[in-house]
Amino acid sequence: MSVKNQKILALRAALAAVEPHGVRVELGVPRLDAVLAGGLMRGALHEVFAAPSHEAAATGFVAGLTVRLGGPLLWIRQDYAGLECGALAATGLFEFGLDPARLLLLQVTDAAGALKAASDALTCAVLGAVVIEVMGSPKLLDLVTYRRLALAAGESGVTAILLRQATAPSGIGGVETRWLVRAAASQDEENWGQPVFDADLQRNRHGPAGHWVMKWSCDDGVFRPADRGAVVSAPCDRPFASPVAEASAA
Amino acid sequence: MRLTAVDRRATELGLAPGMALASARAMVPAVRVMAANAPADLRLLEKIADWCDGFTPLVALDPPHGLLLDVTGATHLFEGEQAMLDRLRRALKKQGFAVAGALAGTALAARALARYRDGTVVPPGRDSEVVAPLPVEALDLDPVTAHAFRRAGLKTIGQVAGRRRSELTARFGSGMVFALDTALGRAEMPISPRLPLPDYRAERRFAEPVMDEKTMLATLNLLAGRLGKTLEERGEGARALQAVFFRADGTIRHVAVQTGAPTRDPALIERLFREKLDALADPLDPGFGFDLIRLEAARTEPCRDEAAVLGHETTPQKEIRALVDRLTARFGTHRVLSFEPRDTHIPENAFAVAPAQYAQTPRQTWEKMRNVGEAPRRPLRLFSPEPVSLIGGEAFRWRHVIHKIRRLEGPERIAMEWWHDAAPDRDYYRAEDEDGRRFWLYREQGLRWFVHGVFA
């Protein structure tokens, strides 16, 4: 290994040591967790985009993430989202494996209210996660807002998840991970209807991007690799190799 | 049409309330009249009463144009009775009202004096001698009785009081005697205040009106501290608080917040008000500043000590409750919600979303409908049922998009509760389209189809 590589590794280790809430939560798909350097990072901002008319799948994916994160959950929702994508159903959440008693629902009229509430809630360190469900692409969601949310999340250790409905993924930075989620067809012929997600990891600050098909186990509360096997794209959009690749090389 | 009120110049010209408009016009052809608006007058009177709340909380309306204030125990705040009365009259005059006022031992005496001896302050216990020279009309009796007194040669209250009780009672009834006694300060008739008196309140008066929000919040914090001390002595905490801002020009603003658990922590209360003030649709306009800020605990509940100081708690539940209070103060009670299970199998009623501030430990628990390893049987998101059109039994159209059905399972028959309403039963199906989207459809009476929800 060259001196330069060693230096980079040392710097990475130093960075990892000062990372404030470097606790990661395993999602349950081994290769995905490896790409995420151990799992979904707590105390960070994650963004989940719903593919057009796949709002329910994105909702399920976010619900799955919050089950993994644990703790009380605040779900901030625009009124319009309730009409357009349907109201959150407690019975359905319970069937999914998310205890409705953990959930606090806040209905706001506009994105401004949602973001204000989010930055307040992110200071409440006992929360496990804050989900901010936003319709469309409000102007308010700019780089400054992203940075503010990410900072608030980092300070308290509460994970912020932006659930973006009815909009195309944008390239605003500041997020730890960005996903584009759509539903995938059930594979199990007998017992069909289990949640299966086709998740495109478009941005990953601590590793390469990729594309996964995974199912959610409602009983165990973990994601599982779908039977057809994970498809990991080559990290062509990044100049450096992922930590995983380096680890295996070393 | 008759005159209901006249101004000073009209009085000088000989016009008086009660006169027919036609005769008034005949006497003074140039008279200018405006239609009387009694409801508006009453609203104005109520506004003035609100403003008088700044002097004493016990304010009663005395329509059509009077207010009764019980100032017992409040006069020392204004350096005495005379000073208080002068201040009240001056302030109202400044706002453009014609004022007459008096202060006496009983409400009736004060009212009589206000009408006939404006500005009088009766020393304690001397009501009867001050009231005695007033004409009998000051007793506010019905015209027949007043006329009867006049006919009998009894022109002043003192002369009436000089008659024997039994005579008066026999001739005019006990009501008149009671009114007489009250006017003379011999009997007490309590006023009925418009607003209930809150159990706990604290207020701060400013010599120089305050205008900036920082000072206002600091004042609320200070008042909350004072309120908290009283509450602590009684072992109570506030569930609902109200801040009243009295603007220097007489406008009054009420701002209320609620808490999920009894509290008396000043920092928490200040924070709730900050959220609330920040989120007001029509912001608090200080204008020329507020000269009085009052904090009232409108509703209190017993609370133990550790629950009282929410701000310093670390237990998760307390923190969540504080967050719920803050969000509720900002967004309103019906926007911060939590789920409660309900005992019904009708999908849209099987759970309730209730204000999180009022959330209690539910009597029921959630029940799983699926067996281990099975797919969820209820959707994640529910719509109010949206009609879909079926295309040849293999596809359906919903929101202008055609979904080809790849998989379908059902029916699960859900009977409506006939004792509530006579809705037809529903046959529910789970369906998956070619893209993997999973829907919850139902058929009503075997013909009409609806989308009710979507699965993950």
Side-chain angles (χ1 to χ4, degrees):
Chain A
M1 195 178 278
S2 70
V3 181
K4 192 179 162 196
N5 269 356
Q6 268 178 347
K7 241 184 188 167
I8 289 174
L9 272 184
L11 279 172
R12 283 238 174 95
L15 265 180
V18 297
E19 224 172 53
H21 292 278
V23 193
R24 286 167 188 276
V25 186
E26 284 186 3
L27 295 182
V29 182
R31 292 176 70 177
L32 173 59
D33 286 334
V35 163
L36 290 172
L40 194 75
M41 188 160 138
R42 271 189 203 279
L45 174 64
H46 303 274
E47 192 173 27
V48 178
F49 281 89
S53 78
H54 282 269
E55 289 87 8
T59 309
F61 183 72
V62 168
L65 294 183
T66 59
V67 170
R68 296 305 302 150
L69 288 162
L73 164 68
L74 174 69
W75 194 298
I76 304 170
R77 198 199 73 187
Q78 267 179 276
D79 292 340
Y80 179 43
L83 291 172
E84 190 66 25
C85 314
L88 281 182
T91 41
L93 289 168
F94 191 66
E95 290 279 283
F96 188 85
L98 175 70
D99 184 2
R102 277 177 47 195
L103 201 144
L104 203 60
L105 187 67
L106 173 66
Q107 293 182 0
V108 295
T109 47
D110 52 7
L115 293 170
K116 214 160 210 175
S119 37
D120 182 8
L122 282 172
T123 61
C124 185
V126 294
L127 285 177
V130 175
V131 177
I132 311 140
E133 186 172 353
V134 181
M135 296 295 289
S137 312
K139 276 219 179 78
L140 277 169
L141 271 181
D142 54 7
L143 189 60
V144 179
T145 312
Y146 276 79
R147 288 292 302 148
R148 196 176 295 150
L149 287 176
L151 274 176
E155 261 171 42
S156 63
V158 181
T159 313
I161 302 175
L162 260 175
L163 172 55
R164 305 284 305 272
Q165 310 274 31
T167 181
S170 56
I172 298 178
V175 292
E176 179 67 28
T177 59
R178 184 186 307 123
W179 309 77
L180 175 64
V181 177
R182 56 196 302 128
S186 301
Q187 289 129 20
D188 190 346
E189 287 298 329
E190 277 299 294
N191 187 15
W192 68 273
Q194 311 266 13
V196 190
F197 307 108
D198 178 312
D200 191 15
L201 177 57
Q202 298 188 329
R203 184 189 150 84
N204 176 12
R205 191 179 268 193
H206 291 90
H211 178 241
W212 278 267
V213 177
M214 51 185 149
K215 60 184 182 192
W216 170 257
S217 164
C218 301
D219 296 310
D220 308 329
V222 288
F223 290 98
R224 297 236 194 268
D227 299 334
R228 70 168 84 146
V231 190
V232 184
S233 66
C236 55
D237 57 335
R238 284 182 176 248
F240 54 82
S242 72
V244 193
E246 275 168 37
S248 56
Chain B
M1 282 194 280
R2 290 186 176 277
L3 300 184
T4 54
V6 292
D7 68 358
R8 183 174 299 158
R9 282 188 57 205
T11 323
E12 282 163 7
L13 290 168
L15 304 185
M19 194 179 261
L21 178 60
S23 35
R25 282 243 164 87
M27 283 170 69
V28 188
V31 70
R32 264 176 50 202
V33 290
M34 271 173 286
N37 186 349
D41 285 347
L42 191 65
R43 273 201 299 280
L44 178 66
L45 191 65
E46 277 180 345
K47 271 209 170 131
I48 301 174
D50 276 342
W51 175 82
C52 287
D53 266 350
F55 289 84
T56 169
L58 295 167
V59 181
L61 292 184
D62 181 25
H65 38 238
L67 288 175
L68 296 169
L69 276 66
D70 188 341
V71 295
T72 314
T75 49
H76 70 277
L77 295 169
F78 302 88
E79 292 142 8
E81 298 177 342
Q82 186 70 55
M84 183 175 187
L85 182 65
D86 289 346
R87 185 164 166 177
L88 238 165
R89 289 169 62 213
R90 223 175 23 243
L92 279 168
K93 255 182 201 142
K94 220 193 230 166
Q95 293 177 41
F97 297 108
V99 201
L103 201 149
T106 66
L108 218 65
R111 187 169 69 180
L113 285 166
R115 287 192 188 151
Y116 292 91
R117 300 279 188 278
D118 177 26
T120 318
V121 173
V122 183
R126 297 181 53 193
D127 293 294
S128 48
E129 55 188 273
V130 181
V131 172
L134 298 185
V136 282
E137 283 81 5
L139 284 177
D140 209 17
L141 303 167
D142 57 294
V144 181
T145 315
H147 192 64
F149 279 140
R150 291 256 170 213
R151 296 250 322 256
L154 303 171
K155 294 205 172 62
T156 65
I157 295 180
Q159 283 167 347
V160 176
R163 310 301 303 182
R164 267 191 291 153
R165 283 297 126 106
S166 50
E167 282 174 22
L168 290 172
T169 316
R171 174 71 178 78
F172 300 106
S174 58
M176 181 265 139
V177 176
F178 181 68
L180 180 68
D181 281 347
T182 321
L184 294 170
R186 290 183 196 149
E188 185 73 45
M189 187 180 65
I191 64 169
S192 43
R194 316 157 49 233
L195 307 170
L197 190 59
D199 291 346
Y200 302 96
R201 53 195 210 103
E203 61 185 34
R204 178 140 192 224
R205 204 171 283 280
F206 300 93
E208 196 63 40
V210 293
M211 299 172 77
D212 69 316
E213 199 173 296
K214 227 177 179 173
T215 322
M216 276 148 51
L217 286 169
T219 309
L220 285 176
N221 189 323
L222 181 116
L223 295 175
R226 265 197 252 158
L227 211 61
K229 270 202 197 98
T230 343
L231 284 165
E232 198 175 354
E233 281 164 16
R234 308 249 198 113
E236 294 200 323
R239 281 295 304 271
L241 289 148
Q242 177 167 253
V244 193
F245 299 91
F246 291 82
R247 222 163 81 169
D249 64 358
T251 317
I252 289 140
R253 194 64 191 272
H254 299 258
V255 177
V257 297
Q258 299 193 335
T259 63
T263 180
R264 45 180 188 247
D265 174 27
L268 187 82
I269 293 171
E270 185 195 332
R271 179 130 196 223
L272 288 182
F273 275 109
R274 188 184 312 144
E275 294 286 336
K276 184 80 187 188
L277 291 180
D278 205 23
L280 281 180
D282 47 339
L284 208 59
D285 174 19
F288 297 107
F290 298 103
D291 54 6
L292 173 65
I293 295 178
R294 176 188 296 158
L295 185 67
E296 303 170 345
R299 196 151 50 86
T300 56
E301 273 177 17
C303 79
R304 279 173 295 135
D305 277 334
E306 84 249 341
V309 277
L310 273 177
H312 307 294
E313 288 287 338
T314 46
T315 47
Q317 277 190 336
K318 302 251 159 79
E319 291 237 353
I320 296 284
R321 208 146 50 190
L323 176 70
V324 167
D325 286 346
R326 287 204 306 271
L327 293 175
T328 305
R330 175 178 284 273
F331 294 100
T333 318
H334 295 281
R335 296 205 155 261
V336 191
L337 306 162
S338 59
F339 290 113
E340 275 172 24
R342 284 285 153 89
D343 183 23
T344 171
H345 52 262
I346 296 184
E348 59 267 39
N349 299 335
F351 63 92
V353 278
Q357 254 189 347
Y358 305 127
Q360 288 161 349
T361 335
R363 273 165 293 162
Q364 277 157 16
T365 50
W366 301 95
E367 274 171 39
K368 270 220 167 65
M369 293 175 195
R370 62 184 171 82
N371 296 321
V372 173
E374 272 184 5
R377 291 184 57 191
R378 289 289 176 271
L380 266 190
R381 307 195 80 133
L382 273 178
F383 298 101
S384 46
E386 295 183 10
V388 297
S389 48
L390 222 60
I391 304 166
E394 283 152 19
F396 66 91
R397 187 203 300 269
W398 177 52
R399 293 186 176 179
H400 310 296
V401 179
I402 293 174
H403 299 276
K404 278 199 185 118
I405 301 172
R406 282 270 175 272
R407 292 188 171 88
L408 190 71
E409 192 190 90
E412 177 192 351
R413 169 155 292 199
I414 296 180
M416 293 296 110
E417 291 164 342
W418 52 264
W419 57 94
H420 281 151
D421 52 19
D425 294 352
R426 301 169 181 172
D427 286 333
Y428 277 92
Y429 293 84
R430 288 192 300 132
E432 186 176 297
D433 76 355
E434 71 234 313
D435 284 340
R437 283 181 284 241
R438 286 166 277 272
F439 300 91
W440 207 39
L441 306 165
Y442 75 83
R443 191 167 52 163
E444 212 176 70
Q445 288 173 324
L447 35 102
R448 291 194 299 160
W449 285 84
F450 296 89
V451 164
H452 200 178
V454 280
F455 293 94

